[in-house]
Amino acid sequence: MNIIDELRWRGAVNQTTDEEGLKELTEKKQIGLYCGVDPTGDSLHIGHLIPFMMLKRFQLQGHHPVIVIGGGTGAIGDPSGKNSERVLQTMDQVKHNEDALSAQMVNLFGTENFTIVNNYDWLSKLSLLDFLRDYGKLFNVNTMLNKEVVASRLEVGISFTEFTYQILQSIDFLHLYRHENVQLQIGGADQWGNITAGIDLIHKVEGSDTPVFALTIPLMLKADGTKFGKTAGGAVWLDPKKTSPYEFYQFWINQDDRDVVKYLKYFTFLDEKEIDELAEKVRTQPEKREAQRRLAEEVTEFVHGKQAVIEAQHITKALFSGDVQDLTAGEIAQGFKNMPTVEVSKEKKNIILWLVDDTKIEPSRRQAREDVKNGAVRINGEKVTDVEAEVDPGAHFEGKYVIVRKGKKRYFLVKVR
């Protein structure tokens, strides 16, 4: 299947400038293509992941993806989708973010047939006079004002700095066409105006028949109409320090039946036959949630590796069964991150006093005795029924944690200091 036909089947094409021409080009030769990301933060989240999944699909078919880290454009701010000016960052913060994002890209794309560049390297060399003479003359203000990315800001106002963003992004496309053999730019639906501005610039400078193309990806909404990628706890990050691999895995495994097939098409590299089989299982055996499990496995492995999938499944099984003894300290740090948490010393203590005085898990000694006698308390997965039993906080999990379960589902993480 041609790469453009595959993207169509996956529902991943919003707009293209010349779909037939792009299809013909990709069948004739391996092309260079790019997507940019501004270093406004030090991690991508899963909403950012969508266009980069498209680049990965091109890479797997032999094409050459180029990632532009926007050290130049990121320093001034992108007006896209914002109702106010972006707060400018220090250059030190921008550099930190550039390094972090570059590392994430290498993790996703590897080091073969893949290039990372930083637009600061060429934009910073432009003088004001060069910018105005060589590029400003080629942009019509009326046309720029009609671009949706600018028009949406006119009512509340937009600075000249952010107004010029589309010129800088256009210069990026021209530079990459000349120096990296890039002929296609991919971006979100809100980037259409910026991308086509770049095509217009290339056609003015290099000739109107220059084969360069734009492809944008639809805005992704969940079945309930809300924006994809947001949870009650905020964004789902690719950085494992911000969103643990276990939390990442759980995000995908908890997806709605109405969305899971769409996400399998967008976020996995499974073929049409396998996705159709999973879609049938969603229809006939939704309670097994096989499609969700496969989605969680595939995306977690792509972002965090196979070992992260194994650990996430191990944590999931342990939490479901209550059998937590075999978890590692690292797995506990992931799986119990959002559980009620207290800190205690390493001092050994009677279980009743420990539950009431040290951890405050129990409201009173009377209640603690009753719960222990009734078998409602488990320490590190083991049921404790003896009110004279002693808790040794440093005995398990490298001496870092104690896991308390009260009743069937209430877990507490006790950190040992």
Side-chain angles (χ1 to χ4, degrees):
M1 185 186 295
N2 175 274
I3 182 65
I4 307 304
D5 290 333
E6 180 186 350
L7 294 183
R8 274 288 178 197
W9 169 74
R10 291 183 182 275
V13 177
N14 182 55
Q15 289 174 290
T16 58
T17 46
D18 176 7
E19 187 166 328
E20 289 305 313
L22 179 58
K23 188 185 297 186
E24 184 180 344
L25 180 68
T26 55
E27 289 174 346
K28 284 182 179 177
K29 56 180 280 195
Q30 270 81 48
I31 67 167
L33 67 157
Y34 96 95
C35 182
V37 58
D38 281 343
T40 52
D42 59 4
S43 175
L44 300 174
H45 58 65
I46 56 173
H48 295 132
L49 189 59
I50 301 170
F52 295 108
M53 293 294 297
M54 301 307 114
L55 260 66
K56 185 69 178 182
R57 295 188 198 286
F58 275 91
Q59 184 189 41
L60 291 174
Q61 292 204 18
H63 302 286
H64 186 87
V66 176
I67 304 295
V68 174
I69 303 293
T73 46
I76 70 163
D78 177 0
S80 175
K82 307 292 187 300
N83 291 320
S84 60
E85 294 286 315
R86 189 188 296 278
V87 176
L88 298 182
Q89 301 182 96
T90 66
M91 293 310 293
D92 286 343
Q93 184 62 49
V94 170
K95 180 64 169 64
H96 165 77
N97 294 344
E98 289 168 5
D99 292 342
L101 294 178
S102 295
Q104 288 187 347
M105 292 302 174
V106 170
N107 185 51
L108 296 178
F109 289 90
T111 55
E112 299 294 325
N113 193 30
F114 166 63
T115 303
I116 299 179
V117 294
N118 189 324
N119 65 15
Y120 183 84
D121 293 343
W122 56 87
L123 294 179
S124 63
K125 294 175 182 176
L126 280 175
S127 72
L128 176 60
L129 292 179
D130 290 338
F131 174 77
L132 294 174
R133 183 188 63 192
D134 297 341
Y135 300 106
K137 274 287 190 181
L138 301 176
F139 285 81
N140 184 287
V141 170
N142 290 341
T143 302
M144 294 175 70
L145 289 171
N146 286 327
K147 300 285 186 181
E148 183 181 353
V149 69
V150 173
S152 63
R153 283 284 299 279
L154 292 181
E155 188 173 329
V156 295
I158 183 172
S159 69
F160 177 74
T161 298
E162 292 196 4
F163 180 64
T164 61
Y165 187 95
Q166 62 181 280
I167 300 180
L168 298 181
Q169 187 168 329
S170 300
I171 295 171
D172 288 347
F173 202 170
L174 175 61
H175 176 90
L176 295 171
Y177 171 77
R178 287 173 168 173
H179 298 280
E180 301 288 346
N181 299 312
V182 165
Q183 293 177 271
L184 170 65
Q185 183 179 172
I186 287 180
D190 61 340
Q191 289 293 310
W192 179 252
N194 288 339
I195 298 174
T196 54
I199 289 177
D200 291 342
L201 174 62
I202 293 171
H203 285 163
K204 288 174 182 176
V205 174
E206 300 291 332
S208 59
D209 59 347
T210 305
V212 286
F213 304 87
L215 187 153
T216 62
I217 296 146
L219 174 67
M220 184 172 287
L221 297 175
K222 296 190 289 187
D224 61 10
T226 59
K227 192 174 181 180
F228 167 78
K230 297 292 185 181
T231 68
V236 178
W237 300 98
L238 272 57
D239 184 343
K241 294 178 182 177
K242 295 176 182 287
T243 299
S244 73
Y246 166 74
E247 292 173 301
F248 190 85
Y249 180 89
Q250 287 297 313
F251 170 82
W252 296 104
I253 209 167
N254 287 320
Q255 291 305 314
D256 193 303
D257 287 344
R258 296 171 295 173
D259 292 318
V260 66
V261 174
K262 176 171 66 176
Y263 296 164
L264 283 166
K265 290 180 177 180
Y266 262 91
F267 293 104
T268 77
F269 302 100
L270 303 179
D271 61 25
E272 186 173 357
K273 179 176 181 294
E274 188 164 1
I275 290 177
D276 285 346
E277 289 171 355
L278 289 167
E280 179 64 16
K281 289 177 180 178
V282 172
R283 191 181 68 81
T284 59
Q285 299 174 309
E287 71 283 355
K288 292 188 176 181
R289 300 185 70 76
E290 190 168 335
Q292 282 88 344
R293 280 198 297 274
R294 194 62 195 278
L295 174 67
E297 290 168 359
E298 291 291 317
V299 188
T300 304
E301 181 172 354
F302 176 58
V303 173
H304 294 297
K306 183 65 176 177
Q307 185 59 36
V309 176
I310 295 170
E311 290 181 359
Q313 292 174 330
H314 191 206
I315 297 167
T316 301
K317 182 179 179 181
L319 287 175
F320 181 78
S321 66
D323 186 16
V324 300
Q325 294 97 326
D326 293 334
L327 292 176
T328 65
E331 289 171 337
I332 287 171
Q334 287 190 59
F336 290 81
K337 180 180 176 182
N338 295 317
M339 302 289 185
T341 303
V342 295
E343 289 192 3
V344 300
S345 69
K346 291 184 178 180
E347 179 187 357
K348 297 178 183 179
K349 207 163 192 178
N350 169 266
I351 188 169
I352 304 301
L353 299 179
W354 190 80
L355 288 171
V356 178
D357 299 339
D358 290 38
T359 66
K360 310 246 181 332
I361 290 172
E362 292 283 8
S364 68
R365 294 181 185 183
R366 181 194 61 77
Q367 186 65 52
R369 289 191 190 94
E370 183 178 323
D371 286 342
V372 169
K373 286 179 180 179
N374 290 336
V377 175
R378 291 178 180 266
I379 304 294
N380 296 328
E382 295 184 1
K383 185 186 293 184
V384 181
T385 57
D386 181 5
V387 296
E388 300 300 327
E390 189 176 64
V391 177
D392 180 0
H396 295 86
F397 310 125
E398 301 175 20
K400 295 179 179 179
Y401 305 107
V402 180
I403 303 300
V404 180
R405 193 176 95 181
K406 183 179 173 183
K408 291 185 177 181
K409 295 183 178 180
R410 292 187 65 197
Y411 281 98
F412 299 85
L413 175 63
V414 181
K415 293 183 177 181
V416 183
R417 57 177 181 263

